[in-house]
Amino acid sequence: MRIGMALKYSGGFKEMVAELADYERAGLDIVFVAEAYSFDAVSQMGYIAAKTERLEIASGILPIYSRTPTLMAMTAAGLDYVSDGRFTLGIGASGPQVIEGFHGVPYTAPLGRTREVIEICRKVWRRERLEHDGRHYTLPLPPEQGTGLGKPLKLINHPVRPRIPIVVAAIGPKNVELTAELAEGWEPIFYVPEKAADVWGPSLAAGKAKRDPELGELDVIAQASLAIGDDVAGLLEFGRPMAALYIGGMGAKGRNFYNDLARRYGYEKEAEQIQDLYLEGKKEEAAALVPGELLENMSLIGSEGFVRDRVLALKESGVTTLNVTPLAATHEERLRLIETIKDIAG
């Protein structure tokens, strides 16, 4: 099981990167860089590539709407080049609030667009003359839609790897099925190992039935806050505001994927109440209703024995990469957490 860590996207980035060499030595395998609607992730990942030697670097995630598929491919090839083959392209649909609100692009056909983005990226990396006739993207652009001067071009440079790993962030049934069919990796959110088979099992099975064997086994990337000790239970509370934001505020009624997931986990009543309160601006009241059981089951916060049991449950559910957020007051303590979880994960 690989051990990953997500870098925060608000403040302290350069200071955090300066510490990454220590995390490399502690056993960290991969670092994920979010984009959201903060600084772009690409410039930051290039900075990380220059400051590290072994650590794998992944976007977590680049939205498929904010770049053309070809630019997505060029960006991934460039990051793979400057990192000497250490880059993983993490992509996802994000949501209409960000895509339409911040980027001004219609949030349409996320499944179809994801499929075509993956197809186009792989064509670019194989240095094929780029021709694509899809429902959402047509390359070159047809004459009636432009000047008529578009030519089928191929990438000038030879990529370090002809197939850069692609990870898709997905939680909806159809999106998870597509991910299991086409991508090297899958990154869900709010992952509870005991419920994963019931919620996502049919989708994963359907996607894997169509999967090209050359892709290898699907890398399943689970996120979890990490704290180990006999007096760390209180740190679970730090997860409440974020869970409430996603379950309550990331989308309107009937258009919130995270709220849907909470309902599929069996928290229908809580999900509805959290959303109602959050959309009314009562964020603290919404956070108070996030089930403690959910916070505990999707975390690695507790005694070493508890964490060992949770890691075993994650492994048994199919998780192959553990993306942790170490919670501790000092850099040295966070390093020890990475060393410990690396040892536990074996």
Side-chain angles (χ1 to χ4, degrees):
M1 181 182 280
R2 291 189 306 174
I3 301 299
M5 184 174 71
L7 293 193
K8 59 185 178 182
Y9 48 78
S10 57
F13 177 80
K14 289 184 179 180
E15 293 78 4
M16 187 67 184
V17 173
E19 298 172 345
L20 279 179
D22 294 336
Y23 285 104
E24 278 190 301
R25 287 189 290 271
L28 190 69
D29 298 299
I30 184 168
V31 63
F32 294 82
V33 181
E35 188 164 83
Y37 42 97
S38 182
F39 294 142
D40 80 289
V42 176
S43 59
Q44 297 181 88
M45 289 186 287
Y47 185 79
I48 292 172
K51 297 290 186 177
T52 56
E53 297 178 358
R54 176 190 61 81
L55 198 63
E56 295 178 56
I57 304 163
S59 53
I61 58 163
L62 298 183
I64 60 171
Y65 293 93
S66 55
R67 296 167 175 85
T68 67
T70 314
L71 178 58
M72 189 82 79
M74 294 166 63
T75 298
L79 285 167
D80 206 44
Y81 170 69
V82 297
S83 66
D84 295 320
R86 291 184 284 139
F87 178 66
T88 291
L89 176 60
I91 62 174
S94 186
Q97 285 183 312
V98 174
I99 299 308
E100 295 186 356
F102 196 67
H103 296 289
V105 178
Y107 189 84
T108 58
L111 288 174
R113 290 183 185 277
T114 299
R115 179 178 291 276
E116 291 189 40
V117 166
I118 293 172
E119 291 174 356
I120 292 169
C121 281
R122 288 178 176 154
K123 287 180 180 179
V124 171
W125 299 332
R126 293 194 297 265
R127 299 189 69 247
E128 298 177 7
R129 291 202 177 276
L130 191 54
E131 295 181 280
H132 180 84
D133 185 15
R135 175 176 293 185
H136 309 289
Y137 304 101
T138 304
L139 302 166
L141 193 68
E144 64 272 15
Q145 295 183 31
T147 64
L149 299 177
K151 297 172 59 177
L153 303 173
K154 66 178 180 180
L155 191 68
I156 294 173
N157 298 82
H158 290 260
V160 175
R161 292 178 291 176
R163 197 182 77 215
I164 296 166
I166 294 175
V167 168
V168 178
I171 54 176
K174 291 296 183 182
N175 205 1
V176 171
E177 180 178 336
L178 180 145
T179 300
E181 176 190 351
L182 295 178
E184 278 85 2
W186 168 48
E187 184 174 11
I189 194 172
F190 300 155
Y191 187 90
V192 175
E194 291 83 1
K195 296 179 183 274
D198 291 336
V199 172
W200 291 305
S203 298
L204 290 169
K208 289 178 180 179
K210 297 175 283 186
R211 186 177 180 82
D212 185 340
E214 290 189 7
L215 289 173
E217 293 296 318
L218 183 68
D219 181 23
V220 179
I221 303 165
Q223 306 170 25
S225 297
L226 173 66
I228 301 175
D230 295 326
D231 57 351
V232 297
L235 295 177
L236 284 169
E237 295 301 308
F238 285 105
R240 282 191 183 278
M242 182 64 71
L245 167 64
Y246 278 78
I247 296 170
M250 285 291 192
K253 283 277 191 177
R255 293 295 301 274
N256 182 322
F257 314 124
Y258 313 100
N259 191 276
D260 292 344
L261 177 59
R263 292 170 184 270
R264 292 163 69 198
Y265 274 165
Y267 302 111
E268 294 91 349
K269 180 180 177 182
E270 294 89 341
E272 182 172 0
Q273 292 175 330
I274 290 167
Q275 187 174 51
D276 287 343
L277 288 168
Y278 207 96
L279 295 179
E280 291 173 7
K282 300 175 181 178
K283 298 180 180 180
E284 292 185 4
E285 292 93 330
L289 292 182
V290 175
E293 178 188 53
L294 176 61
L295 292 172
E296 181 176 356
N297 288 341
M298 64 186 189
S299 81
L300 294 171
I301 296 176
S303 66
E304 184 169 329
F306 171 83
V307 171
R308 286 186 181 276
D309 288 344
R310 298 308 296 157
V311 169
L312 180 59
L314 288 162
K315 282 185 176 181
E316 290 178 343
S317 75
V319 171
T320 48
T321 298
L322 191 52
N323 187 15
V324 300
T325 301
L327 302 178
T330 68
H331 175 55
E332 289 72 22
E333 290 173 317
R334 290 188 290 272
L335 286 176
R336 283 196 292 273
L337 282 172
I338 294 297
E339 290 172 342
T340 302
I341 198 65
K342 181 72 174 179
D343 178 65
I344 291 172

